[in-house]
């Protein structure tokens, strides 16, 4: 088992096989991040020539996302964006000729995927459940931690700290349909590699690969660790340079033979939800997927990015107005010509 740890810890002594999960944890801290691990290999579907198997179609309006080829933000209009019908690879019109990654095939190719998608259909919810809104005092937190540790069958315990916070483990399943991008100067990360490199912003040379379906990672986090920090840590693990806002963390629950998904807000605390729900994966599990809800947190963009978006909007508005005026002018001219050819009487 491999773990991703979101804090700096001193190495713990090897006291036996019972400590295997903790001693093998990948330690990540803001001050020091490990480099890329050995044994990396590229996705075999990454070709030297144009990628094959894709069926690109105009993407429906109203969805904003990031280009899987160049990594830049794209607007959701069908005139600007293409998306593969089978693997959901999304790119600018101008980036289509640069795609080198072969299509991974229809996302619902397996029976398991078909069943899961059918269960999840029309069951997405936006508001937290009532039990998720519970506020616990210190005594209740301590009692919940004891109950949680008594129910688990591994040594992935929760621990209460002196300052009132607590640490523990969460498991995140990566269910990504679209490919992810890594720096082209580095080899694609191996899922078995023990370390990862830093995410580099602004890298223009990129290469892409598909994460295997069913990829699962464990993370050791604090009670105050936010959902956005969990996403960022997972991207660093695979040296992914895509914008973190391209992805979202969801909570998944099963009830009455239905699967319910809820997108977590950036500031929500996954470990707190894990404690409230208990260790049952049916009651609560975590899934990282593409952020395909159509929502964009504009407050998260920098001022230069926002100014650039405004300039893009202005250019698109001016072009749209120009086309409308041209169309109406042509209609007016045809009507005037028709009037001129008809004599009264």
């Amino acid at each position: 088992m491999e773990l991703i740890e979101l804090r700096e810890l001193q190495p713990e002594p090897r006291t036996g096989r019972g400590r295997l999960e903790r001693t093998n944890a990948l330690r990540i801290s803001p001050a020091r991040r490990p480099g890329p691990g050995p044994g990396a290999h590229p996705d075999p579907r990454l070709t030297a020539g144009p990628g094959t198997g894709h069926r690109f179609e105009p993407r429906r309006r109203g969805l904003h996302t990031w280009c899987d080829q160049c990594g830049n933000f794209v607007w959701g209009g069908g005139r600007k964006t293409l998306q593969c019908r089978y693997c959901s690879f999304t790119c600018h019109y101008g980036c289509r000729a640069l795609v080198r990654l072969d299509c991974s095939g229809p996302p619902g190719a397996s029976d398991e995927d078909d069943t899961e998608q059918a269960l999840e259909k029309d069951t997405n919810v936006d508001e937290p459940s009532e039990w998720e809104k519970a506020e616990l005092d210190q005594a209740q937190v301590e009692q919940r931690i004891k109950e949680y540790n008594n129910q688990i069958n591994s040594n992935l315990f929760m621990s209460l700290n002196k300052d009132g916070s607590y640490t523990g483990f969460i498991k995140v399943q990566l269910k990504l349909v679209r490919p992810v991008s890594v720096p082209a100067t580095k080899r694609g990360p191996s899922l078995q590699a023990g370390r990862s490199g830093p995410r580099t912003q602004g890298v223009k040379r990129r290469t892409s690969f598909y994460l295997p379906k069913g990829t699962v990672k464990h993370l050791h986090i604090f009670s105050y660790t936010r959902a956005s920090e969990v996403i960022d840590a997972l991207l660093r693990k695979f040296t992914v340079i895509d914008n973190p806002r391209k992805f979202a963390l969801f909570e998944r629950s099963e009830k009455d033979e239905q699967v319910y998904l809820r997108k977590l807000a950036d500031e929500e605390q996954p470990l707190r939800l894990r404690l409230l729900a208990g260790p049952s994966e049916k009651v609560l599990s975590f899934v990282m997927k593409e952020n395909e809800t159509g929502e964009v947190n504009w407050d998260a963009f920098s001022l230069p990015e926002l100014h650039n978006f405004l300039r893009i909007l202005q250019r698109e508005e001016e072009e749209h107005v120009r086309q409308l005026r041209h169309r109406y002018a042509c209609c007016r001219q045809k009507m005037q010509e028709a009037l001129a050819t008809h004599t009264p009487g």
Side-chain angles (χ1 to χ4, degrees):
M1 181 187 298
E2 183 183 5
L3 302 174
I4 301 176
E5 190 160 8
L6 301 187
R7 64 187 184 115
E8 186 70 23
L9 294 178
Q10 295 297 324
E12 299 186 20
R14 295 179 180 266
T15 57
R17 296 186 64 180
R19 305 301 299 176
L20 180 62
E21 292 93 341
R22 291 180 182 270
T23 55
N24 284 352
L26 174 63
R27 292 171 171 81
I28 301 175
S29 68
R32 182 180 180 182
R33 293 173 182 168
H41 58 83
D43 194 304
R45 285 165 292 208
L46 186 63
T47 63
T52 61
H54 294 287
R55 182 174 176 179
F56 286 108
E57 299 174 344
R59 183 181 170 97
R60 65 186 178 90
R61 293 183 178 273
L63 290 178
H64 308 296
T65 188
W66 283 261
C67 178
D68 292 329
Q69 175 61 33
C70 71
N72 293 327
F73 187 76
V74 293
W75 303 93
R79 296 180 58 221
K80 300 292 183 181
T81 318
L82 292 172
Q83 187 172 63
C84 177
R85 181 176 183 179
Y86 300 134
C87 71
S88 297
F89 192 108
T90 305
C91 64
H92 297 93
Y93 264 82
C95 290
R96 177 178 180 177
L98 304 176
V99 175
R100 296 291 181 265
L101 191 65
D102 288 345
C103 182
S104 64
S110 68
D111 294 338
E112 181 180 353
D113 288 338
D114 288 338
T115 303
E116 183 77 1
Q117 289 178 1
L119 288 174
E120 291 180 358
K121 185 177 180 181
D122 297 329
T123 61
N124 292 337
V125 293
D126 299 321
E127 293 298 323
S129 303
E130 288 301 320
W131 62 265
E132 295 177 312
K133 301 177 183 179
E135 295 293 338
L136 305 180
D137 57 32
Q138 192 66 15
Q140 291 174 319
V141 169
E142 185 174 357
Q143 180 61 30
R144 287 289 187 101
I145 291 177
K146 290 180 180 178
E147 294 174 356
Y148 182 93
N149 291 340
N150 288 333
Q151 296 178 50
I152 61 176
N153 297 320
S154 66
N155 70 333
L156 303 180
F157 302 114
M158 289 194 188
S159 303
L160 185 64
N161 302 320
K162 293 181 179 180
D163 62 0
S165 65
Y166 50 95
T167 57
F169 298 84
I170 63 170
K171 181 174 72 173
V172 180
Q173 181 182 12
L174 280 66
K175 295 185 63 176
L176 302 178
V177 177
R178 293 162 56 183
V180 294
S181 299
V182 296
T185 54
K186 297 180 180 179
R187 301 166 71 186
S190 168
L191 294 180
Q192 304 300 325
R195 296 182 179 181
S196 66
R199 294 180 59 255
T200 307
Q201 298 294 338
V203 176
K204 296 300 181 184
R205 297 189 60 193
R206 309 157 64 90
T207 187
S208 302
F209 70 99
Y210 296 99
L211 281 176
K213 295 180 180 179
T215 300
V216 173
K217 291 298 172 185
H218 290 77
L219 299 95
H220 190 207
I221 63 176
F222 278 97
S223 54
Y224 50 77
T225 301
R226 298 172 297 163
S228 59
E229 294 173 316
V230 170
I231 294 173
D232 201 51
L234 289 169
L235 298 184
R236 287 200 305 268
K237 162 61 189 170
F238 296 107
T239 66
V240 173
I241 57 175
D242 289 314
N243 194 299
R245 293 185 289 273
K246 177 182 172 181
F247 310 94
L249 191 65
F250 292 80
E251 65 172 27
R252 180 186 184 276
S253 59
E254 299 180 24
K255 183 179 180 182
D256 300 328
E257 298 184 352
Q258 286 285 1
V259 176
Y260 295 84
L261 290 176
R262 183 178 72 87
K263 177 185 171 183
L264 299 184
D266 288 345
E267 66 275 4
E268 290 196 64
Q269 302 159 339
L271 189 61
R272 174 183 172 275
L273 297 177
R274 180 80 280 165
L275 179 63
L276 291 173
S280 173
E281 292 289 317
K282 288 190 175 181
V283 177
L284 177 72
S285 60
F286 296 105
V287 180
M288 191 174 87
K289 304 175 66 176
E290 284 89 359
N291 185 14
E292 298 286 0
T293 61
E295 303 170 358
V296 177
N297 181 14
W298 299 110
D299 293 334
F301 287 93
S302 65
L303 288 178
E305 288 176 319
L306 291 174
H307 284 303
N308 186 50
F309 294 155
L310 287 174
R311 286 192 292 268
I312 294 174
L313 280 177
Q314 183 177 355
R315 287 199 298 268
E316 290 189 352
E317 180 183 4
E318 292 173 351
E319 176 63 18
H320 188 58
V321 170
R322 186 193 66 79
Q323 292 178 0
L324 282 176
R325 287 177 174 172
H326 177 72
R327 186 170 64 182
Y328 279 95
C330 290
C331 290
R332 187 179 297 109
Q333 181 180 356
K334 290 180 180 179
M335 285 186 286
Q336 290 173 346
E337 291 175 352
L339 288 172
T341 58
H342 289 78
T343 57

